[in-house]
Amino acid sequence: MAYAKQILALAGIGDAPRLKKAFATVPRERFIGPPPWQISRPPLGYVTLPSTDPVVVYQDVLLALSPERGVNNGSPSLHAQWLHTLSPREGDRVVHIGAGTGYYTALLAHLVGESGHVLAVEYDPDLVEQAKKNLSEFPYVTVIQGDGADWPQEEADRIYVNFSVVRPADAWIGKLRSGGRLVLPLGVPRPKATARGGRHALHGAGFCFEREGERIHARWIGPAYFICAEGRLAGANDEAERLKDSFERGGVEFVRSLVRGPPAAPQRCWFVGAGWALSFDEAVG
């Protein structure tokens, strides 16, 4: 419980008993493999923890899952803030895109309860097998190997994305129920891999999108430097360059809505992509 209280305090979260219980219940060491464990320490890269006592992993640190690719079990305080923003309810249908070995999937499972369902999507087949084993105690969690751009294929109440993208996948917006929330990191990839392995975001921001009928409200959560998507979700080079320009101009914290189709007033947009935009104006429609 001390770990849970510390993480929520670092995230600036006050009264959140269900989230606190989830962090206190799920054993983090089960999801990171056997010791020796490695933590990410930019700009040094990865550093091996000298102890094999599981108590050492109950810190607000990134623990390596696949260090050669830069894939980590991310910062608990950041995820606490984002899960609090996502606000999954008991009975919700949640889709976790980029589930890794399933630690944050397990937290989601505790939050939705047995009356809910969590679909965990992971691209890496090795991580998928680990996640299936780690999450086997949850009959209401389904783990699949696949491209995150293809999911969900049915309507979802909450969608939680754990890798950086240049644009939201069409399915994430199209399958989000009215009243539903999508939390994701929007980001521009670095030109090359870092000492941590993989390509992480050069500029990045967490967003919460909430659907109200055809309106899509947007809220900036804070900076976010996740590992970047590959393939279709990486986005076109020209779109990434335009997004980079938008980050460097500033003002991301003032975005209020996501607009699909041609934006009515491009001059009122922080960013304009191919068929979508992030606007400073409140959502209409």
Side-chain angles (χ1 to χ4, degrees), residues 170-220:
D170 292 340
W172 303 347
I173 302 298
K175 295 297 184 180
L176 188 65
R177 285 193 176 119
S178 184
R181 292 183 182 181
L182 161 65
V183 169
L184 61 79
L186 191 73
V188 180
R190 292 181 181 275
K192 60 182 179 179
T194 66
R196 288 187 288 168
R199 294 178 71 192
H200 289 75
L202 173 65
H203 303 291
F207 271 100
C208 175
F209 299 105
E210 185 165 0
R211 185 164 194 159
E212 180 189 5
E214 291 305 309
R215 300 177 185 179
I216 304 172
H217 305 281
R219 176 158 60 96
W220 176 76

mmCIF file of all heavy atoms in Angstrom, residues 170-220:
data_model
loop_
_atom_site.group_PDB
_atom_site.id
_atom_site.type_symbol
_atom_site.label_atom_id
_atom_site.label_comp_id
_atom_site.label_asym_id
_atom_site.label_seq_id
_atom_site.Cartn_x
_atom_site.Cartn_y
_atom_site.Cartn_z
ATOM 1 N N ASP A 170 -7.685 5.402 -37.185
ATOM 2 C CA ASP A 170 -9.111 5.612 -37.468
ATOM 3 C C ASP A 170 -9.992 4.777 -36.549
ATOM 4 O O ASP A 170 -11.048 5.238 -36.100
ATOM 5 C CB ASP A 170 -9.411 5.269 -38.931
ATOM 6 C CG ASP A 170 -8.782 6.252 -39.911
ATOM 7 O OD1 ASP A 170 -8.446 7.383 -39.489
ATOM 8 O OD2 ASP A 170 -8.626 5.897 -41.099
ATOM 9 N N ALA A 171 -9.567 3.536 -36.255
ATOM 10 C CA ALA A 171 -10.372 2.647 -35.416
ATOM 11 C C ALA A 171 -10.510 3.188 -34.000
ATOM 12 O O ALA A 171 -11.544 2.985 -33.342
ATOM 13 C CB ALA A 171 -9.761 1.247 -35.384
ATOM 14 N N TRP A 172 -9.503 3.893 -33.501
ATOM 15 C CA TRP A 172 -9.569 4.398 -32.133
ATOM 16 C C TRP A 172 -10.662 5.456 -31.991
ATOM 17 O O TRP A 172 -11.333 5.518 -30.959
ATOM 18 C CB TRP A 172 -8.225 4.986 -31.705
ATOM 19 C CG TRP A 172 -7.084 4.032 -31.805
ATOM 20 C CD1 TRP A 172 -7.157 2.668 -31.990
ATOM 21 C CD2 TRP A 172 -5.698 4.347 -31.748
ATOM 22 N NE1 TRP A 172 -5.894 2.132 -32.051
ATOM 23 C CE2 TRP A 172 -4.972 3.124 -31.912
ATOM 24 C CE3 TRP A 172 -4.985 5.536 -31.588
ATOM 25 C CZ2 TRP A 172 -3.584 3.091 -31.909
ATOM 26 C CZ3 TRP A 172 -3.599 5.494 -31.587
ATOM 27 C CH2 TRP A 172 -2.913 4.277 -31.738
ATOM 28 N N ILE A 173 -10.807 6.265 -33.027
ATOM 29 C CA ILE A 173 -11.854 7.287 -33.003
ATOM 30 C C ILE A 173 -13.196 6.686 -33.409
ATOM 31 O O ILE A 173 -14.226 6.915 -32.768
ATOM 32 C CB ILE A 173 -11.496 8.451 -33.937
ATOM 33 C CG1 ILE A 173 -10.150 9.082 -33.539
ATOM 34 C CG2 ILE A 173 -12.608 9.503 -33.945
ATOM 35 C CD1 ILE A 173 -10.128 9.693 -32.164
ATOM 36 N N GLY A 174 -13.179 5.878 -34.466
ATOM 37 C CA GLY A 174 -14.418 5.357 -35.024
ATOM 38 C C GLY A 174 -15.158 4.399 -34.112
ATOM 39 O O GLY A 174 -16.393 4.324 -34.151
ATOM 40 N N LYS A 175 -14.424 3.652 -33.278
ATOM 41 C CA LYS A 175 -15.056 2.658 -32.411
ATOM 42 C C LYS A 175 -15.227 3.134 -30.971
ATOM 43 O O LYS A 175 -15.658 2.361 -30.113
ATOM 44 C CB LYS A 175 -14.241 1.364 -32.425
ATOM 45 C CG LYS A 175 -14.197 0.669 -33.784
ATOM 46 C CD LYS A 175 -15.583 0.229 -34.237
ATOM 47 C CE LYS A 175 -15.520 -0.549 -35.549
ATOM 48 N NZ LYS A 175 -16.865 -0.974 -35.997
ATOM 49 N N LEU A 176 -14.912 4.381 -30.718
ATOM 50 C CA LEU A 176 -15.077 4.915 -29.369
ATOM 51 C C LEU A 176 -16.536 5.308 -29.165
ATOM 52 O O LEU A 176 -17.104 6.090 -29.925
ATOM 53 C CB LEU A 176 -14.175 6.133 -29.177
ATOM 54 C CG LEU A 176 -14.082 6.713 -27.773
ATOM 55 C CD1 LEU A 176 -13.441 5.720 -26.804
ATOM 56 C CD2 LEU A 176 -13.272 8.022 -27.795
ATOM 57 N N ARG A 177 -17.151 4.750 -28.137
ATOM 58 C CA ARG A 177 -18.550 5.041 -27.848
ATOM 59 C C ARG A 177 -18.731 6.503 -27.422
ATOM 60 O O ARG A 177 -17.812 7.122 -26.883
ATOM 61 C CB ARG A 177 -19.066 4.146 -26.716
ATOM 62 C CG ARG A 177 -19.330 2.724 -27.125
ATOM 63 C CD ARG A 177 -20.142 2.006 -26.045
ATOM 64 N NE ARG A 177 -20.486 0.656 -26.484
ATOM 65 C CZ ARG A 177 -20.103 -0.452 -25.872
ATOM 66 N NH1 ARG A 177 -19.377 -0.381 -24.786
ATOM 67 N NH2 ARG A 177 -20.457 -1.641 -26.340
ATOM 68 N N SER A 178 -19.916 7.031 -27.637
ATOM 69 C CA SER A 178 -20.241 8.349 -27.102
ATOM 70 C C SER A 178 -20.130 8.286 -25.580
ATOM 71 O O SER A 178 -20.634 7.367 -24.940
ATOM 72 C CB SER A 178 -21.651 8.756 -27.515
ATOM 73 O OG SER A 178 -21.935 10.079 -27.069
ATOM 74 N N GLY A 179 -19.421 9.236 -25.024
ATOM 75 C CA GLY A 179 -19.121 9.215 -23.597
ATOM 76 C C GLY A 179 -17.821 8.506 -23.282
ATOM 77 O O GLY A 179 -17.374 8.511 -22.135
ATOM 78 N N GLY A 180 -17.218 7.890 -24.291
ATOM 79 C CA GLY A 180 -15.967 7.155 -24.098
ATOM 80 C C GLY A 180 -14.748 8.052 -24.138
ATOM 81 O O GLY A 180 -14.798 9.194 -24.601
ATOM 82 N N ARG A 181 -13.639 7.511 -23.648
ATOM 83 C CA ARG A 181 -12.380 8.258 -23.612
ATOM 84 C C ARG A 181 -11.253 7.466 -24.258
ATOM 85 O O ARG A 181 -11.161 6.243 -24.089
ATOM 86 C CB ARG A 181 -11.997 8.598 -22.167
ATOM 87 C CG ARG A 181 -12.922 9.603 -21.510
ATOM 88 C CD ARG A 181 -12.461 9.966 -20.115
ATOM 89 N NE ARG A 181 -13.398 10.898 -19.483
ATOM 90 C CZ ARG A 181 -13.246 11.408 -18.266
ATOM 91 N NH1 ARG A 181 -12.176 11.053 -17.539
ATOM 92 N NH2 ARG A 181 -14.137 12.241 -17.777
ATOM 93 N N LEU A 182 -10.405 8.195 -24.954
ATOM 94 C CA LEU A 182 -9.189 7.672 -25.585
ATOM 95 C C LEU A 182 -8.016 8.453 -25.032
ATOM 96 O O LEU A 182 -7.984 9.686 -25.121
ATOM 97 C CB LEU A 182 -9.281 7.836 -27.103
ATOM 98 C CG LEU A 182 -7.988 7.783 -27.919
ATOM 99 C CD1 LEU A 182 -7.332 6.406 -27.843
ATOM 100 C CD2 LEU A 182 -8.253 8.173 -29.379
ATOM 101 N N VAL A 183 -7.055 7.752 -24.432
ATOM 102 C CA VAL A 183 -5.842 8.390 -23.921
ATOM 103 C C VAL A 183 -4.655 7.839 -24.696
ATOM 104 O O VAL A 183 -4.485 6.615 -24.803
ATOM 105 C CB VAL A 183 -5.676 8.152 -22.407
ATOM 106 C CG1 VAL A 183 -4.293 8.591 -21.934
ATOM 107 C CG2 VAL A 183 -6.758 8.899 -21.636
ATOM 108 N N LEU A 184 -3.836 8.760 -25.236
ATOM 109 C CA LEU A 184 -2.697 8.330 -26.060
ATOM 110 C C LEU A 184 -1.580 9.361 -26.012
ATOM 111 O O LEU A 184 -1.810 10.529 -25.703
ATOM 112 C CB LEU A 184 -3.135 8.092 -27.502
ATOM 113 C CG LEU A 184 -3.724 9.252 -28.313
ATOM 114 C CD1 LEU A 184 -2.649 10.195 -28.861
ATOM 115 C CD2 LEU A 184 -4.535 8.717 -29.493
ATOM 116 N N PRO A 185 -0.344 8.933 -26.338
ATOM 117 C CA PRO A 185 0.755 9.876 -26.515
ATOM 118 C C PRO A 185 0.931 10.223 -28.001
ATOM 119 O O PRO A 185 1.128 9.344 -28.836
ATOM 120 C CB PRO A 185 1.972 9.118 -25.982
ATOM 121 C CG PRO A 185 1.626 7.667 -26.106
ATOM 122 C CD PRO A 185 0.131 7.548 -26.229
ATOM 123 N N LEU A 186 0.816 11.495 -28.312
ATOM 124 C CA LEU A 186 1.072 11.994 -29.660
ATOM 125 C C LEU A 186 2.523 12.456 -29.694
ATOM 126 O O LEU A 186 2.963 13.179 -28.784
ATOM 127 C CB LEU A 186 0.134 13.158 -29.967
ATOM 128 C CG LEU A 186 0.071 13.653 -31.408
ATOM 129 C CD1 LEU A 186 -0.686 12.661 -32.281
ATOM 130 C CD2 LEU A 186 -0.590 15.029 -31.458
ATOM 131 N N GLY A 187 3.279 12.029 -30.708
ATOM 132 C CA GLY A 187 4.682 12.402 -30.690
ATOM 133 C C GLY A 187 5.381 12.298 -32.016
ATOM 134 O O GLY A 187 4.917 11.638 -32.943
ATOM 135 N N VAL A 188 6.530 12.956 -32.087
ATOM 136 C CA VAL A 188 7.387 12.986 -33.273
ATOM 137 C C VAL A 188 8.628 12.162 -32.983
ATOM 138 O O VAL A 188 9.309 12.401 -31.981
ATOM 139 C CB VAL A 188 7.796 14.427 -33.617
ATOM 140 C CG1 VAL A 188 8.687 14.443 -34.848
ATOM 141 C CG2 VAL A 188 6.573 15.293 -33.827
ATOM 142 N N PRO A 189 8.946 11.174 -33.813
ATOM 143 C CA PRO A 189 10.120 10.335 -33.535
ATOM 144 C C PRO A 189 11.441 11.088 -33.634
ATOM 145 O O PRO A 189 11.587 12.023 -34.430
ATOM 146 C CB PRO A 189 10.047 9.254 -34.635
ATOM 147 C CG PRO A 189 8.674 9.332 -35.191
ATOM 148 C CD PRO A 189 8.221 10.741 -35.007
ATOM 149 N N ARG A 190 12.389 10.687 -32.805
ATOM 150 C CA ARG A 190 13.754 11.180 -32.954
ATOM 151 C C ARG A 190 14.337 10.670 -34.270
ATOM 152 O O ARG A 190 13.894 9.647 -34.793
ATOM 153 C CB ARG A 190 14.626 10.676 -31.796
ATOM 154 C CG ARG A 190 14.251 11.283 -30.456
ATOM 155 C CD ARG A 190 15.147 10.766 -29.344
ATOM 156 N NE ARG A 190 14.768 11.342 -28.066
ATOM 157 C CZ ARG A 190 15.191 12.513 -27.616
ATOM 158 N NH1 ARG A 190 16.062 13.204 -28.353
ATOM 159 N NH2 ARG A 190 14.790 12.983 -26.461
ATOM 160 N N PRO A 191 15.337 11.357 -34.804
ATOM 161 C CA PRO A 191 15.915 10.922 -36.088
ATOM 162 C C PRO A 191 16.524 9.526 -36.037
ATOM 163 O O PRO A 191 16.550 8.822 -37.033
ATOM 164 C CB PRO A 191 16.985 11.982 -36.371
ATOM 165 C CG PRO A 191 16.591 13.174 -35.558
ATOM 166 C CD PRO A 191 15.917 12.621 -34.333
ATOM 167 N N LYS A 192 17.007 9.110 -34.871
ATOM 168 C CA LYS A 192 17.628 7.789 -34.759
ATOM 169 C C LYS A 192 17.466 7.253 -33.353
ATOM 170 O O LYS A 192 17.065 7.977 -32.435
ATOM 171 C CB LYS A 192 19.121 7.861 -35.130
ATOM 172 C CG LYS A 192 19.930 8.797 -34.261
ATOM 173 C CD LYS A 192 21.382 8.840 -34.722
ATOM 174 C CE LYS A 192 22.204 9.807 -33.846
ATOM 175 N NZ LYS A 192 23.632 9.841 -34.283
ATOM 176 N N ALA A 193 17.782 5.973 -33.194
ATOM 177 C CA ALA A 193 17.670 5.321 -31.890
ATOM 178 C C ALA A 193 18.631 5.960 -30.884
ATOM 179 O O ALA A 193 19.683 6.492 -31.250
ATOM 180 C CB ALA A 193 17.967 3.835 -32.029
ATOM 181 N N THR A 194 18.245 5.900 -29.612
ATOM 182 C CA THR A 194 19.072 6.447 -28.538
ATOM 183 C C THR A 194 19.770 5.311 -27.802
ATOM 184 O O THR A 194 19.635 4.132 -28.160
ATOM 185 C CB THR A 194 18.192 7.227 -27.547
ATOM 186 O OG1 THR A 194 17.308 6.298 -26.899
ATOM 187 C CG2 THR A 194 17.373 8.287 -28.275
ATOM 188 N N ALA A 195 20.500 5.672 -26.749
ATOM 189 C CA ALA A 195 21.188 4.664 -25.937
ATOM 190 C C ALA A 195 20.207 3.715 -25.265
ATOM 191 O O ALA A 195 20.574 2.628 -24.840
ATOM 192 C CB ALA A 195 22.061 5.351 -24.882
ATOM 193 N N ARG A 196 18.939 4.126 -25.148
ATOM 194 C CA ARG A 196 17.925 3.260 -24.552
ATOM 195 C C ARG A 196 17.430 2.212 -25.532
ATOM 196 O O ARG A 196 16.675 1.324 -25.159
ATOM 197 C CB ARG A 196 16.733 4.108 -24.073
ATOM 198 C CG ARG A 196 17.012 4.936 -22.854
ATOM 199 C CD ARG A 196 15.746 5.588 -22.358
ATOM 200 N NE ARG A 196 15.304 6.668 -23.242
ATOM 201 C CZ ARG A 196 14.108 7.238 -23.163
ATOM 202 N NH1 ARG A 196 13.234 6.815 -22.274
ATOM 203 N NH2 ARG A 196 13.778 8.220 -23.970
ATOM 204 N N GLY A 197 17.822 2.314 -26.796
ATOM 205 C CA GLY A 197 17.296 1.411 -27.816
ATOM 206 C C GLY A 197 15.989 1.939 -28.368
ATOM 207 O O GLY A 197 15.254 2.653 -27.696
ATOM 208 N N GLY A 198 15.692 1.589 -29.620
ATOM 209 C CA GLY A 198 14.455 2.031 -30.230
ATOM 210 C C GLY A 198 14.445 3.530 -30.495
ATOM 211 O O GLY A 198 15.397 4.253 -30.205
ATOM 212 N N ARG A 199 13.350 3.988 -31.084
ATOM 213 C CA ARG A 199 13.179 5.415 -31.368
ATOM 214 C C ARG A 199 12.088 5.972 -30.457
ATOM 215 O O ARG A 199 10.937 5.580 -30.530
ATOM 216 C CB ARG A 199 12.799 5.632 -32.839
ATOM 217 C CG ARG A 199 13.899 5.251 -33.818
ATOM 218 C CD ARG A 199 13.416 5.443 -35.239
ATOM 219 N NE ARG A 199 13.289 6.856 -35.586
ATOM 220 C CZ ARG A 199 12.672 7.290 -36.691
ATOM 221 N NH1 ARG A 199 12.103 6.430 -37.512
ATOM 222 N NH2 ARG A 199 12.607 8.580 -36.965
ATOM 223 N N HIS A 200 12.497 6.875 -29.590
ATOM 224 C CA HIS A 200 11.553 7.513 -28.691
ATOM 225 C C HIS A 200 11.182 8.891 -29.232
ATOM 226 O O HIS A 200 11.815 9.410 -30.150
ATOM 227 C CB HIS A 200 12.134 7.612 -27.283
ATOM 228 C CG HIS A 200 12.232 6.297 -26.585
ATOM 229 N ND1 HIS A 200 13.193 5.360 -26.895
ATOM 230 C CD2 HIS A 200 11.465 5.742 -25.611
ATOM 231 C CE1 HIS A 200 13.026 4.284 -26.133
ATOM 232 N NE2 HIS A 200 11.993 4.498 -25.343
ATOM 233 N N ALA A 201 10.149 9.471 -28.645
ATOM 234 C CA ALA A 201 9.650 10.746 -29.131
ATOM 235 C C ALA A 201 10.643 11.868 -28.856
ATOM 236 O O ALA A 201 11.193 11.988 -27.762
ATOM 237 C CB ALA A 201 8.313 11.063 -28.495
ATOM 238 N N LEU A 202 10.864 12.690 -29.872
ATOM 239 C CA LEU A 202 11.644 13.917 -29.721
ATOM 240 C C LEU A 202 10.780 14.984 -29.049
ATOM 241 O O LEU A 202 11.218 15.694 -28.142
ATOM 242 C CB LEU A 202 12.102 14.403 -31.097
ATOM 243 C CG LEU A 202 12.793 15.755 -31.159
ATOM 244 C CD1 LEU A 202 14.116 15.716 -30.412
ATOM 245 C CD2 LEU A 202 12.998 16.179 -32.621
ATOM 246 N N HIS A 203 9.558 15.125 -29.531
ATOM 247 C CA HIS A 203 8.533 15.966 -28.916
ATOM 248 C C HIS A 203 7.328 15.063 -28.667
ATOM 249 O O HIS A 203 6.986 14.246 -29.518
ATOM 250 C CB HIS A 203 8.110 17.109 -29.835
ATOM 251 C CG HIS A 203 9.231 18.000 -30.271
ATOM 252 N ND1 HIS A 203 9.896 18.847 -29.410
ATOM 253 C CD2 HIS A 203 9.807 18.179 -31.488
ATOM 254 C CE1 HIS A 203 10.815 19.511 -30.065
ATOM 255 N NE2 HIS A 203 10.786 19.121 -31.331
ATOM 256 N N GLY A 204 6.688 15.225 -27.544
ATOM 257 C CA GLY A 204 5.535 14.370 -27.281
ATOM 258 C C GLY A 204 4.587 14.971 -26.263
ATOM 259 O O GLY A 204 4.979 15.763 -25.399
ATOM 260 N N ALA A 205 3.312 14.584 -26.384
ATOM 261 C CA ALA A 205 2.293 15.074 -25.468
ATOM 262 C C ALA A 205 1.228 14.012 -25.264
ATOM 263 O O ALA A 205 0.812 13.343 -26.217
ATOM 264 C CB ALA A 205 1.638 16.342 -26.030
ATOM 265 N N GLY A 206 0.790 13.872 -24.026
ATOM 266 C CA GLY A 206 -0.330 13.001 -23.737
ATOM 267 C C GLY A 206 -1.637 13.742 -23.974
ATOM 268 O O GLY A 206 -1.755 14.922 -23.628
ATOM 269 N N PHE A 207 -2.599 13.046 -24.579
ATOM 270 C CA PHE A 207 -3.914 13.636 -24.837
ATOM 271 C C PHE A 207 -5.006 12.710 -24.334
ATOM 272 O O PHE A 207 -4.889 11.482 -24.413
ATOM 273 C CB PHE A 207 -4.139 13.865 -26.333
ATOM 274 C CG PHE A 207 -3.669 15.202 -26.828
ATOM 275 C CD1 PHE A 207 -2.449 15.326 -27.473
ATOM 276 C CD2 PHE A 207 -4.451 16.337 -26.645
ATOM 277 C CE1 PHE A 207 -2.015 16.554 -27.925
ATOM 278 C CE2 PHE A 207 -4.023 17.574 -27.102
ATOM 279 C CZ PHE A 207 -2.804 17.691 -27.739
ATOM 280 N N CYS A 208 -6.071 13.326 -23.852
ATOM 281 C CA CYS A 208 -7.312 12.610 -23.569
ATOM 282 C C CYS A 208 -8.369 13.137 -24.527
ATOM 283 O O CYS A 208 -8.630 14.350 -24.563
ATOM 284 C CB CYS A 208 -7.757 12.824 -22.126
ATOM 285 S SG CYS A 208 -9.373 12.063 -21.754
ATOM 286 N N PHE A 209 -8.942 12.243 -25.324
ATOM 287 C CA PHE A 209 -10.030 12.597 -26.225
ATOM 288 C C PHE A 209 -11.317 11.982 -25.670
ATOM 289 O O PHE A 209 -11.342 10.796 -25.339
ATOM 290 C CB PHE A 209 -9.766 12.067 -27.634
ATOM 291 C CG PHE A 209 -8.516 12.627 -28.264
ATOM 292 C CD1 PHE A 209 -7.368 11.850 -28.365
ATOM 293 C CD2 PHE A 209 -8.483 13.926 -28.737
ATOM 294 C CE1 PHE A 209 -6.209 12.359 -28.936
ATOM 295 C CE2 PHE A 209 -7.320 14.442 -29.309
ATOM 296 C CZ PHE A 209 -6.182 13.666 -29.414
ATOM 297 N N GLU A 210 -12.354 12.782 -25.581
ATOM 298 C CA GLU A 210 -13.639 12.303 -25.079
ATOM 299 C C GLU A 210 -14.709 12.552 -26.127
ATOM 300 O O GLU A 210 -14.857 13.675 -26.615
ATOM 301 C CB GLU A 210 -14.009 12.981 -23.768
ATOM 302 C CG GLU A 210 -15.288 12.428 -23.154
ATOM 303 C CD GLU A 210 -15.474 12.816 -21.702
ATOM 304 O OE1 GLU A 210 -14.607 13.529 -21.157
ATOM 305 O OE2 GLU A 210 -16.475 12.389 -21.090
ATOM 306 N N ARG A 211 -15.430 11.491 -26.457
ATOM 307 C CA ARG A 211 -16.435 11.597 -27.512
ATOM 308 C C ARG A 211 -17.793 11.950 -26.927
ATOM 309 O O ARG A 211 -18.234 11.366 -25.929
ATOM 310 C CB ARG A 211 -16.519 10.284 -28.287
ATOM 311 C CG ARG A 211 -17.454 10.358 -29.473
ATOM 312 C CD ARG A 211 -17.238 9.215 -30.433
ATOM 313 N NE ARG A 211 -17.892 9.482 -31.686
ATOM 314 C CZ ARG A 211 -17.583 8.896 -32.829
ATOM 315 N NH1 ARG A 211 -16.608 8.018 -32.864
ATOM 316 N NH2 ARG A 211 -18.227 9.192 -33.929
ATOM 317 N N GLU A 212 -18.463 12.900 -27.556
ATOM 318 C CA GLU A 212 -19.824 13.291 -27.204
ATOM 319 C C GLU A 212 -20.616 13.343 -28.512
ATOM 320 O O GLU A 212 -20.615 14.364 -29.197
ATOM 321 C CB GLU A 212 -19.841 14.652 -26.511
ATOM 322 C CG GLU A 212 -21.233 15.107 -26.113
ATOM 323 C CD GLU A 212 -21.243 16.547 -25.621
ATOM 324 O OE1 GLU A 212 -20.196 17.222 -25.667
ATOM 325 O OE2 GLU A 212 -22.319 17.001 -25.209
ATOM 326 N N GLY A 213 -21.251 12.224 -28.863
ATOM 327 C CA GLY A 213 -21.883 12.139 -30.182
ATOM 328 C C GLY A 213 -20.823 12.240 -31.258
ATOM 329 O O GLY A 213 -19.871 11.465 -31.283
ATOM 330 N N GLU A 214 -20.944 13.224 -32.135
ATOM 331 C CA GLU A 214 -19.937 13.446 -33.174
ATOM 332 C C GLU A 214 -18.861 14.436 -32.734
ATOM 333 O O GLU A 214 -17.896 14.668 -33.463
ATOM 334 C CB GLU A 214 -20.612 13.939 -34.459
ATOM 335 C CG GLU A 214 -21.476 12.875 -35.135
ATOM 336 C CD GLU A 214 -20.699 11.594 -35.422
ATOM 337 O OE1 GLU A 214 -19.613 11.677 -36.019
ATOM 338 O OE2 GLU A 214 -21.172 10.516 -35.023
ATOM 339 N N ARG A 215 -19.030 15.012 -31.572
ATOM 340 C CA ARG A 215 -18.016 15.927 -31.047
ATOM 341 C C ARG A 215 -16.887 15.132 -30.393
ATOM 342 O O ARG A 215 -17.142 14.159 -29.691
ATOM 343 C CB ARG A 215 -18.623 16.874 -30.022
ATOM 344 C CG ARG A 215 -19.751 17.748 -30.538
ATOM 345 C CD ARG A 215 -20.311 18.586 -29.407
ATOM 346 N NE ARG A 215 -21.465 19.351 -29.823
ATOM 347 C CZ ARG A 215 -22.158 20.149 -29.025
ATOM 348 N NH1 ARG A 215 -21.816 20.244 -27.750
ATOM 349 N NH2 ARG A 215 -23.202 20.819 -29.479
ATOM 350 N N ILE A 216 -15.655 15.603 -30.575
ATOM 351 C CA ILE A 216 -14.515 14.961 -29.923
ATOM 352 C C ILE A 216 -13.736 16.038 -29.172
ATOM 353 O O ILE A 216 -13.015 16.844 -29.768
ATOM 354 C CB ILE A 216 -13.616 14.224 -30.930
ATOM 355 C CG1 ILE A 216 -14.439 13.205 -31.721
ATOM 356 C CG2 ILE A 216 -12.463 13.524 -30.197
ATOM 357 C CD1 ILE A 216 -13.705 12.561 -32.858
ATOM 358 N N HIS A 217 -13.925 16.058 -27.868
ATOM 359 C CA HIS A 217 -13.220 17.012 -27.019
ATOM 360 C C HIS A 217 -11.787 16.523 -26.803
ATOM 361 O O HIS A 217 -11.524 15.310 -26.748
ATOM 362 C CB HIS A 217 -13.932 17.149 -25.679
ATOM 363 C CG HIS A 217 -15.384 17.514 -25.799
ATOM 364 N ND1 HIS A 217 -15.812 18.794 -26.034
ATOM 365 C CD2 HIS A 217 -16.509 16.738 -25.736
ATOM 366 C CE1 HIS A 217 -17.140 18.813 -26.102
ATOM 367 N NE2 HIS A 217 -17.582 17.582 -25.923
ATOM 368 N N ALA A 218 -10.865 17.451 -26.676
ATOM 369 C CA ALA A 218 -9.450 17.107 -26.485
ATOM 370 C C ALA A 218 -8.903 17.849 -25.278
ATOM 371 O O ALA A 218 -9.254 19.010 -25.026
ATOM 372 C CB ALA A 218 -8.647 17.459 -27.730
ATOM 373 N N ARG A 219 -8.035 17.157 -24.543
ATOM 374 C CA ARG A 219 -7.384 17.780 -23.383
ATOM 375 C C ARG A 219 -5.943 17.321 -23.299
ATOM 376 O O ARG A 219 -5.658 16.112 -23.321
ATOM 377 C CB ARG A 219 -8.141 17.421 -22.109
ATOM 378 C CG ARG A 219 -7.488 17.943 -20.831
ATOM 379 C CD ARG A 219 -8.492 18.032 -19.699
ATOM 380 N NE ARG A 219 -9.091 16.756 -19.383
ATOM 381 C CZ ARG A 219 -8.655 15.944 -18.413
ATOM 382 N NH1 ARG A 219 -7.586 16.283 -17.707
ATOM 383 N NH2 ARG A 219 -9.264 14.819 -18.147
ATOM 384 N N TRP A 220 -5.030 18.248 -23.229
ATOM 385 C CA TRP A 220 -3.608 17.952 -23.042
ATOM 386 C C TRP A 220 -3.388 17.479 -21.614
ATOM 387 O O TRP A 220 -3.867 18.097 -20.660
ATOM 388 C CB TRP A 220 -2.805 19.223 -23.319
ATOM 389 C CG TRP A 220 -1.334 19.132 -23.090
ATOM 390 C CD1 TRP A 220 -0.416 18.520 -23.890
ATOM 391 C CD2 TRP A 220 -0.584 19.733 -22.021
ATOM 392 N NE1 TRP A 220 0.854 18.682 -23.371
ATOM 393 C CE2 TRP A 220 0.773 19.423 -22.226
ATOM 394 C CE3 TRP A 220 -0.944 20.497 -20.903
ATOM 395 C CZ2 TRP A 220 1.781 19.848 -21.370
ATOM 396 C CZ3 TRP A 220 0.057 20.922 -20.044
ATOM 397 C CH2 TRP A 220 1.400 20.605 -20.276
#
